[in-house]
Amino acid sequence: SEAYYVQIYSYKALEIFLNVVGPDHFYVADVSSCMASIYKDQLRYPEALDNFKNSLRIYTKFFGGENYHEVGNLYCNLGHVYKQQGDSSKALENYERSRAIYARVHGKAESVDNGDLLTCIGVLYENEGKVAKALEAYENALQVYKVALESDRDPNISELALKMIPLYIKQGEHEKANALKDLLSLK
């Protein structure tokens, strides 16, 4: 399978980079992050966490801090792994840390990355049965997307509306659900 070959080549690349540039170079972090994603997809969460954390250590050392987009991505990925493991508090902590980094890197809180993270937070709350908190996160994501995308006609917004409508109906808030139906059209 393709994933198998990616994994084999990642091991080889890691071996080469360790010998050529040393253990604290961002090339090593890139490969380690790639391997972490493979492990995450294979549901090998301890290995995924180890590799994401190693990448995080290298990036923050190499670039002199956390004000780097890839560091925000790593915190987001750590959040995903913790979510998959059922550790909502660590997932939320990493999502929030990623949001703060994206806001600093982009110079504003209204970026697509932050809209995506707010959506992840909403899903996390929804999976826990915390509908009100999920809707709050989704509403915040909706506002962020509208500003970042400068439109309310985008697949991100339509997908988010699809998540929100059944929750509003479940809460008995049919007017809010109906108001979101306009966002489903991309025309």
Side-chain angles (χ1 to χ4, degrees):
S1 82
E2 185 178 322
Y4 170 78
Y5 289 109
V6 171
Q7 191 170 0
I8 296 298
Y9 290 122
S10 294
Y11 284 126
K12 283 289 186 196
L14 183 60
E15 183 180 317
I16 291 167
F17 287 142
L18 285 170
N19 288 326
V20 174
V21 296
D24 292 329
H25 195 276
F26 73 90
Y27 289 167
V28 173
D30 286 345
V31 173
S32 188
S33 181
C34 178
M35 291 172 65
S37 293
I38 292 168
Y39 290 137
K40 180 176 68 106
D41 291 344
Q42 294 173 341
L43 310 180
R44 295 169 58 184
Y45 299 129
E47 293 101 326
L49 287 173
D50 288 345
N51 278 274
F52 280 136
K53 288 177 181 179
N54 185 50
S55 292
L56 184 61
R57 179 192 61 77
I58 294 169
Y59 279 130
T60 54
K61 182 178 181 182
F62 191 85
F63 292 106
E66 292 189 338
N67 290 334
Y68 183 66
H69 191 268
E70 188 60 31
V71 173
N73 291 347
L74 287 167
Y75 279 115
C76 179
N77 282 319
L78 283 166
H80 293 330
V81 174
Y82 285 123
K83 179 180 148 224
Q84 291 303 113
Q85 289 184 311
D87 192 337
S88 298
S89 65
K90 281 189 179 178
L92 187 59
E93 175 186 325
N94 281 278
Y95 288 153
E96 291 294 350
R97 197 156 186 186
S98 182
R99 282 185 63 218
I101 291 167
Y102 288 151
R104 286 194 304 272
V105 169
H106 294 294
K108 59 183 181 178
E110 295 85 6
S111 68
V112 173
D113 290 322
N114 272 335
D116 293 346
L117 280 164
L118 285 162
T119 301
C120 288
I121 290 168
V123 169
L124 184 75
Y125 285 134
E126 186 177 350
N127 290 344
E128 292 182 336
K130 298 177 180 175
V131 175
K133 283 190 166 207
L135 283 168
E136 179 182 352
Y138 291 152
E139 284 288 350
N140 289 335
L142 184 60
Q143 296 312 311
V144 167
Y145 281 141
K146 284 180 177 181
V147 171
L149 298 167
E150 299 178 359
S151 169
D152 60 358
R153 300 289 181 238
D154 184 89
N156 288 312
I157 292 174
S158 294
E159 289 173 23
L160 188 56
L162 283 172
K163 290 180 186 310
M164 296 168 70
I165 290 170
L167 294 180
Y168 276 127
I169 291 170
K170 185 178 181 179
Q171 296 285 84
E173 298 184 57
H174 298 281
E175 286 182 26
K176 287 185 178 181
N178 285 331
L180 291 170
K181 288 180 183 175
D182 291 339
L183 300 177
L184 297 178
S185 171
L186 295 179
K187 295 177 185 176

